[in-house]
Amino acid sequence: GEGTGRGTAGGGSVAAGQLAASVAVTEPVVGGGVVTVTVREGDAPVRGASVEVQGDMTHAGMVPVIAAAAEVEPGVYRAGPFGFSMAGDWIVTAEVETPDGRETTAEAFVTVAR
């Protein structure tokens, strides 16, 4: 490790890496599902972000399922039970906004079982 990891407030670019999010869905069943969103910048977890998760069926005309994800550990946000409304193929999109106003998104494809 290098330094104490104390971030300094203010502008400028961050050399540590790019803001990135990933989405994982476990227990994808109707009425359930746990969506875990991991937000990192380089190797560092991003804390205090606002994370919204939206599930859309792959065929048009269906109402999306939307949930807010709560931070359960540094850089890890979880929404669950997510409440998939029916079985089938879904696209789960996480929209992340960091405390300083930057945004990123991530997608996962999941097949929901009855």
Side-chain angles (χ1 to χ4, degrees), residues 3 8 19 23 28 35 72 76 80 83 92 98:
T8 54
L19 182 66
V23 182
V35 181
V72 293
V76 180
V92 177
T98 65

Side-chain angles (χ1 to χ4, degrees), residues 1-112:
E2 51 194 46
T4 58
R6 281 210 323 273
T8 54
S13 61
V14 178
Q18 200 60 36
L19 182 66
S22 62
V23 182
V25 181
T26 52
E27 302 168 49
V29 296
V30 172
V34 176
V35 181
T36 303
V37 182
T38 304
V39 186
R40 305 186 75 78
E41 184 155 31
D43 294 330
V46 175
R47 307 188 63 157
S50 168
V51 179
E52 185 178 270
V53 181
Q54 177 168 321
D56 290 283
M57 294 217 68
T58 53
H59 52 254
M62 302 301 299
V63 176
V65 177
I66 299 174
E71 189 168 10
V72 293
E73 54 187 87
V76 180
Y77 302 80
R78 188 163 294 146
F82 186 63
F84 290 106
S85 53
M86 60 172 52
D89 293 326
W90 289 73
I91 302 167
V92 177
T93 305
E95 296 192 359
V96 177
E97 183 174 346
T98 65
D100 59 2
R102 292 172 299 151
E103 295 181 6
T104 186
T105 61
E107 283 185 346
F109 292 84
V110 60
T111 298
V112 174

